[in-house]
Amino acid sequence: MPALRFFTPLVAIALVIAVLTGLPVASVGLNLLVGGTSTTWAHLSETVLGDYIANSLRLCLGVGCGVAVVGTATAWLTAMHDFPGRRVFEWALVLPLAVPAYVMAYVYTDLLQFVGPVQTALRNAFGWAHGDYWFPDVRSLPGAIAMFVCVLYPYVYLLARTAFIERAGGVLEAARTLGLGPWRAFFSVSLPLARPALAAGIALALMETLADYGTVAYFAVDTFTTGIYRAWFSLGDRVASAQLAAILLGFVLLLIALERLTRGRARYHNSGNRNRPPMRTRLRGPAAALAVLACALPLFAGFVLPAGLLLKMALTEGDAQFGARFLTLARNSFVLAATTAALAVLLALLLAYSARVSKTWLARGLNRIVGLGYAVPGAVIAVGVLIPVTRLDTWLGLQWQQWFGHNPGLLLTGGIAALVYACLVRFLAVALQTVEASLAKITPSMDDAARSLGFGAFAILRRVHAPILRGSLLTAGLLVFVDVMKELPATLVMRPFNFDTLATQTYTLAADERLTEASTAALAIVAVGLLPLIALSRQIARTRK
């Protein structure tokens, strides 16, 4: 009887989902065992592997420091101080998340390149010619770091601001009674208490950095993601590509493990009733002006300027093929994103409800395995999906030919099925976390009452929980929808023939230096990305009450 309760139908479904989610990662890891069979791998390790490692480390170091400084400073100012415009900044500072990093790279390249408006204005103003002045090259490693910092600092801002608000109040009052000034209280009390939130935000930003392909490829910065794409398409060696993907996956896992190890035995629990909201310090004069400037600069650089430039380029020049071609791209993006979002919400609901009903370590462990998918870069997942799925495709074609006398071609990779699978592996964790958080707020007594009326587990899910969770399910679907719309590495690797999306069109046009034409598709991606941020901004605005 206990075994029957342990292996319920819901747990069996969760087990199948977890196995399918973990298969791409396992497929990538297994290729480490065949390192000696790839001549391409030997060539890569002797020539460019060192550059991949060095550039990835430098990129992580620069982005980590940048998002930590910008995110923590803006979070501290909006959470603990009152100054002109604070109520606008506290929700507007998340808007850069709507701009993909590769879109940011294209916009700033068009703005700052030699023939761009900035350098052209400088030459006209001072009568300079080529070689008469120095100007920083945006298409470089420091330029890539700046792009990522502008886009990704909201991860740290959101988590740090919540931590400062929740752990302030009485704690800071106690620190001041001990004679600590504002700055010393910040560095000695508030910052250490917010450390888990800061580390989580930095880790999220670094995982997004390692997963990026469009920015580093356009800036000619060789990292693991560019190496994976090059080994797959230019060199035609899937084994070497999978081995590079495995090393990149090791980088991501190292980031997660390093943060947990550095905590040691430190604990960060709230105790007593000292977590009441803080009393904000009123800033006036130069201090208020500096606070406004510190919040306005990242918002302007990360959203206002790029969005304004995209809008201007789209209205003045834009895509010459705007019309039927653009509608086809939008349709492809919508179908891919909507299909993935619908499946992700359904699977997330089954996974979260399985853990709630069974209450076993197996169900909880399976959910944690599924949750790791978001930490895996899209390029790694694409490689991990294509290796087993192409073999399955070949086997299905041969079997079909034996059964029906003709070969149907590629059933999975010939359409968007494999691409949807890859996006599910990548973004199912987003939906799962949203559904789990909402399902935990439903009291277990409702389940008990439904069982007393004779409802089974699936009937309770359909008739009790699903209606209550309707808003959360829509939120989860919207988050996955936007993430898939912006996804570039997996889509570039796995898209079927003649299937382009807004993201791939933006990358293709920008790679051909047709930046103004890329603005139309890029602006559409940014506009879609604003949808969840508007909902998030409204929630932030409510928290100040």
Side-chain angles (χ1 to χ4, degrees):
M1 192 67 177
L4 292 176
R5 281 198 293 264
F6 192 78
F7 293 103
T8 62
L10 281 171
V11 174
I13 293 174
L15 179 61
V16 172
I17 297 172
V19 170
L20 291 176
T21 304
L23 180 62
V25 178
S27 174
V28 167
L30 288 175
N31 282 275
L32 288 176
L33 304 178
V34 293
T37 64
S38 173
T39 57
T40 304
W41 172 253
H43 170 71
L44 292 175
S45 61
E46 293 175 359
T47 55
V48 295
L49 183 59
D51 292 336
Y52 292 164
I53 296 175
N55 287 337
S56 297
L57 289 176
R58 291 169 186 158
L59 200 62
C60 287
L61 180 62
V63 173
C65 294
V67 297
V69 172
V70 177
T72 304
T74 52
W76 177 253
L77 287 172
T78 57
M80 307 302 299
H81 301 84
D82 197 7
F83 52 90
R86 178 189 60 81
R87 292 193 174 187
V88 175
F89 285 127
E90 66 183 4
W91 62 263
L93 281 166
V94 304
L95 294 179
L97 283 178
V99 186
Y102 56 87
V103 171
M104 184 82 71
Y106 306 152
V107 171
Y108 274 98
T109 298
D110 184 72
L111 178 68
L112 301 177
Q113 63 184 342
F114 180 77
V115 295
V118 173
Q119 293 200 52
T120 301
L122 288 175
R123 291 194 298 272
N124 292 337
F126 297 99
W128 291 337
H130 178 67
D132 292 343
Y133 65 98
W134 174 86
F135 196 85
D137 183 12
V138 67
R139 298 179 69 170
S140 60
L141 180 62
I145 292 173
M147 298 301 104
F148 286 121
V149 171
C150 288
V151 171
L152 301 177
Y153 80 84
Y155 283 119
V156 178
Y157 166 77
L158 286 171
L159 296 177
R161 183 177 181 276
T162 302
F164 288 145
I165 291 175
E166 290 178 349
R167 300 182 182 276
V171 175
L172 288 180
E173 291 176 8
R176 292 192 182 103
T177 61
L178 296 176
L180 299 182
W183 284 104
R184 192 175 175 188
F186 169 72
F187 286 106
S188 301
V189 179
S190 298
L191 195 59
L193 286 175
R195 183 187 177 282
L198 297 178
I202 294 171
L204 284 172
L206 294 184
M207 285 189 285
E208 290 290 335
T209 301
L210 290 173
D212 179 85
Y213 172 76
T215 306
V216 291
Y218 187 66
F219 280 7
V221 177
D222 289 332
T223 62
F224 280 104
T225 49
T226 60
I228 292 168
Y229 194 83
R230 192 175 299 136
W232 189 283
F233 288 99
S234 299
L235 303 178
D237 194 327
R238 297 184 177 183
V239 174
S241 179
Q243 290 164 342
L244 287 173
I247 299 178
L248 177 57
L249 180 60
F251 264 83
V252 174
L253 296 178
L254 181 63
L255 284 175
I256 299 173
L258 187 62
E259 192 281 322
R260 294 189 178 275
L261 287 175
T262 53
R263 290 189 191 183
R265 296 184 178 181
R267 296 295 180 265
Y268 305 89
H269 305 301
N270 282 334
S271 60
N273 60 353
R274 293 185 176 272
N275 58 345
R276 61 181 182 271
M279 294 294 294
R280 291 189 176 92
T281 303
R282 181 71 180 178
L283 299 180
R284 294 181 176 85
L290 289 176
V292 171
L293 182 63
C295 293
L297 281 178
L299 176 61
F300 179 78
F303 179 77
V304 176
L305 180 60
L309 291 174
L310 281 176
L311 182 61
K312 178 184 176 182
M313 287 189 288
L315 293 177
T316 55
E317 298 182 51
D319 194 345
Q321 299 179 358
F322 183 80
R325 169 65 174 165
F326 182 83
L327 293 178
T328 300
L329 296 172
R331 182 200 64 196
N332 291 344
S333 298
F334 182 84
V335 170
L336 175 62
T339 304
T340 305
L343 291 174
V345 170
L346 176 61
L347 297 180
L349 184 60
L350 292 174
L351 287 167
Y353 189 63
S354 170
R356 179 186 178 92
V357 172
S358 64
K359 299 178 181 178
T360 61
W361 62 266
L362 177 60
R364 293 191 298 270
L366 293 175
N367 284 8
R368 300 289 75 79
I369 292 174
V370 173
L372 290 175
Y374 191 68
V376 182
V380 175
I381 291 177
V383 172
V385 167
L386 275 178
I387 291 175
V389 169
T390 49
R391 293 174 182 172
L392 177 61
D393 239 351
T394 303
W395 180 84
L396 287 175
L398 294 176
Q399 294 299 314
W400 192 284
Q401 188 171 15
Q402 291 180 3
W403 294 337
F404 302 104
H406 69 280
N407 195 320
L410 301 175
L411 296 174
L412 300 176
T413 55
I416 66 169
L419 180 55
V420 170
Y421 174 36
C423 291
L424 275 175
V425 175
R426 176 84 166 91
F427 299 117
L428 180 56
V430 177
L432 179 59
Q433 291 176 0
T434 305
V435 175
E436 276 184 332
S438 299
L439 195 60
K441 297 177 182 178
I442 301 178
T443 174
S445 61
M446 298 187 69
D447 300 61
D448 298 335
R451 290 192 198 96
S452 67
L453 296 175
F455 290 116
F458 285 99
I460 296 174
L461 175 62
R462 180 174 57 88
R463 301 185 63 178
V464 178
H465 293 301
I468 297 175
L469 295 173
R470 186 181 296 113
S472 299
L473 296 180
L474 289 174
T475 301
L478 182 61
L479 291 173
V480 176
F481 183 90
V482 173
D483 280 335
V484 176
M485 287 284 289
K486 296 190 296 184
E487 171 61 33
L488 181 63
T491 309
L492 276 176
V493 174
M494 301 195 61
R495 57 181 171 153
F497 177 74
N498 202 27
F499 184 89
D500 287 319
T501 64
L502 292 172
T504 60
Q505 177 77 350
T506 301
Y507 170 76
T508 302
L509 292 175
D512 293 338
E513 299 300 334
R514 298 156 65 185
L515 296 172
T516 54
E517 295 181 52
S519 62
T520 304
L523 186 63
I525 296 173
V526 173
V528 172
L530 284 175
L531 296 177
L533 291 179
I534 292 173
L536 180 61
S537 298
R538 292 178 62 186
Q539 182 179 357
I540 292 174
R542 286 196 296 267
T543 61
R544 64 172 178 252
K545 301 179 181 179

